[in-house]
Amino acid sequence: MTKPTKTVAQLSARARALLFALVVTAGILNLVDRQIISVLKPTIAADLGWSDDDYGTLAAWFQGGAAFAFLFTGWIVDKLGVKWANPIGVAAWSIAAMAHGWARSMTEFVMIRVSLGATEAMGTPTGIKTIASVLPKNWRSSGFGATNAANSIGAILAPLAIPGVASLVGWRGTFVAAGALGLVWAAVWLIATRRVTFSPPSPVETDAAPPTEYGPILRNRQTWAVAGAKILSDATWWLLLFWLPDFFHRQYGLTGVALGVPLAIAYGGAAVGSLLGGGVSTRLLSLGYSVNAVRKGILLVAALCVLPIPLVLYAGNYALTIGLMALTLAAHQAFSTNLFALIADVVPQDKLGRVTAFGSFSGNVGGMVIAKVAGLVLTAGLGYLPLFLFASVSYLLAVGWIQLLLPVLRPVEAR
C-alpha cells in the first residue's frame, strides 16, 4: 500500500530538519563549485597562461551569466515550486562544473563560466523560498543565517580541500569530482521529498502577461531598496570571493595548500557573522523589538565593521590582516542574512522568488563590474587600495539607500 503524501506543515520536526539540512548542503556545493577556479588560480593560470586581466574577464563573465539568469530564475522557481526547483538547479550547475574538466581555450572557459553562473543563479531564490516554506516565521532569520553560514563553510572547505583533491586528480579532475557530488545531492533530495507536497507552484500565466512578470515588482519600493543594497554590498563580497586568494598570494607569497589556513580563518569569520546576524535578530524580534529597528540596526552595525578593511594593506602583521578580513566577511554575512530576511519580511510569498532573484541579479551586476574593474586596476599596477577604499564604504551606502526608500519597514502581515 502506497503511503499518503504529506504537506510540509504535517511533517515532523525531524523531517523538516532534514530538508533544511539539504538546503544548507546545496549552498555549500554551490560555493565550492564556483570557488575551485579562484583557489587553483595560480596553478590553472600557469598551465593555461592567464593574466590578471584574463582572470578578471572570466570572473566578470561568470557574474554576467548569473546576473542575466536571475532575471528568469525567480520566475522559474515560483512556477516549479521548491520540490522540483531544488534538484533541477543543483543538477544543472553540477554538470556545468564538471564541464570545466574538458575546457582548453579561453573561449571554452568563458562559455562554461557563463553556464555555471547562469545555473547557480537557481540557488538563491530556491533556497530563500524553501526556507520560507520549511521553517516557521520566527525562525526565518536563524534559517537564513545558517544558510549564509553554510556558504561560508563552503568557502572554508574550498581552500582546505581543493588543493588536496587537485594534488590527487589534477585541477581538471577536481571540477569533475565536485560536480559529481552535486548529482548525488539531487538524487537524495528526490528520495527525501518523494511523498512530500509543498505549496503548489504558481499557475501558468495567460499570453497577455510578460513571461517573467517583473513589471509588478519593479513598481515597488521594496524591490529597488533591495536591489540597490545588493549592488553595493555584493560588489565587496564578490571582490573578496574571487580575489582574496590572490591578495594573500601578493601580500605574503602564499600558494596552494599554504593558502588554506588564512582563507579558512577568514571565511570562518563569515560563518560566525551569519550565525550571529541571524541569531541576534531572532532573539531581538522575540523580545518584541520591531522589524524596522532590528533589521536596520544590525545592517548599520555590520556596515560600520567593514570600515577598517583598507588597514590590511598597512597592518604589517599576518595575524592582524587575517583578523581584519575575517571581521569584514563576518560583517558581510550578518548584513546579507538580515537583508534576505528583510525581503521575506516585506514581500508577499507569491512574489518572494522574483524579488529575491531580482535582488540577486542586481548583486551580480555589482559583482560583474567589480570583478572586471579589479582585474584592470591590478593590471595597471594600482594595487588593492582603490578596491578596498570602495569596499569600506559600500555597506554604509547600502544602509543609506534602504533608509531613503524604506524609512519604515512594514512586515507583510501587518499591512
Side-chain angles (χ1 to χ4, degrees):
M1 180 177 179
T2 303
K3 292 183 179 180
T5 60
K6 293 183 178 181
T7 65
V8 174
Q10 294 172 324
L11 292 177
S12 66
R14 184 176 180 180
R16 288 192 185 205
L18 172 61
L19 296 182
F20 179 70
L22 285 172
V23 174
V24 169
T25 307
I28 295 175
L29 293 173
N30 187 297
L31 195 138
V32 168
D33 285 348
R34 81 175 67 133
Q35 277 295 88
I36 293 173
I37 197 168
S38 64
V39 174
L40 298 181
K41 173 182 176 286
T43 301
I44 301 174
D47 189 14
L48 300 179
W50 291 348
S51 66
D52 284 333
D53 187 39
D54 290 333
Y55 178 71
T57 297
L58 284 175
W61 274 110
F62 172 87
Q63 295 298 138
F68 180 77
F70 271 124
L71 293 175
F72 303 94
T73 54
W75 175 81
I76 292 171
V77 172
D78 282 341
K79 296 305 172 186
L80 289 177
V82 297
K83 182 168 186 175
W84 294 105
N86 273 290
I88 290 172
V90 175
W93 81 58
S94 297
I95 292 170
M98 296 175 75
H100 287 71
W102 290 273
R104 300 285 175 180
S105 67
M106 177 60 69
T107 299
E108 290 172 346
F109 264 95
V110 166
M111 293 174 63
I112 291 171
R113 292 307 287 179
V114 169
S115 299
L116 183 65
T119 50
E120 285 198 344
M122 286 285 288
T124 300
T126 303
I128 297 298
K129 196 175 182 74
T130 304
I131 290 171
S133 299
V134 171
L135 296 183
K137 291 181 180 179
N138 290 342
W139 284 94
R140 284 178 182 171
S141 295
S142 295
F144 295 138
T147 303
N148 273 346
N151 290 339
S152 302
I153 291 171
I156 294 168
L157 293 175
L160 292 176
I162 288 171
V165 175
S167 68
L168 295 175
V169 299
W171 64 263
R172 296 183 183 278
T174 304
F175 281 108
V176 175
L181 286 176
L183 296 180
V184 172
W185 185 98
V188 173
W189 173 271
L190 290 173
I191 293 170
T193 62
R194 65 190 183 281
R195 294 190 181 93
V196 179
T197 301
F198 293 82
S199 298
S202 303
V204 177
E205 300 296 318
T206 64
D207 293 339
T212 53
E213 298 177 323
Y214 277 102
I217 70 167
L218 295 183
R219 291 195 290 268
N220 296 334
R221 280 175 171 258
Q222 293 88 342
T223 301
W224 291 107
V226 170
K230 290 290 285 181
I231 288 174
L232 291 164
S233 60
D234 279 16
T236 295
W237 171 253
W238 289 111
L239 170 68
L240 297 179
L241 201 63
F242 282 123
W243 291 97
L244 193 55
D246 181 75
F247 166 76
F248 279 116
H249 174 66
R250 290 169 185 261
Q251 198 81 351
Y252 296 103
L254 304 179
T255 58
V257 177
L259 280 169
V261 173
L263 293 177
I265 294 173
Y267 285 107
V272 171
S274 297
L275 296 174
L276 282 177
V280 170
S281 62
T282 295
R283 178 60 176 164
L284 291 175
L285 289 170
S286 69
L287 291 174
Y289 289 92
S290 70
V291 167
N292 186 71
V294 171
R295 298 291 180 228
K296 290 181 179 177
I298 293 178
L299 292 178
L300 179 59
V301 171
L304 293 173
C305 289
V306 182
L307 280 174
I309 188 175
L311 297 179
V312 299
L313 297 170
Y314 308 101
N317 182 287
Y318 180 59
L320 181 57
T321 298
I322 297 173
L324 287 170
M325 283 299 185
L327 176 64
T328 298
L329 292 172
H332 170 84
Q333 289 293 58
F335 190 99
S336 179
T337 294
N338 280 274
L339 185 56
F340 278 127
L342 184 153
I343 300 173
D345 290 331
V346 302
V347 176
Q349 175 72 14
D350 62 341
K351 296 180 180 179
L352 189 57
R354 281 163 287 166
V355 175
T356 301
F358 187 76
S360 297
F361 157 77
S362 303
N364 275 267
V365 169
M368 178 175 62
V369 172
I370 200 69
K372 184 59 179 176
V373 168
L376 293 173
V377 167
L378 294 172
T379 299
L382 300 178
Y384 277 96
L385 180 59
L387 301 171
F388 288 166
L389 286 173
F390 162 77
S392 69
V393 299
S394 59
Y395 295 84
L396 283 174
L397 293 173
V399 172
W401 176 254
I402 291 173
Q403 180 62 25
L404 178 66
L405 291 188
L406 301 176
V408 179
L409 299 178
R410 294 185 175 88
V412 174
E413 58 268 21
R415 295 177 196 167

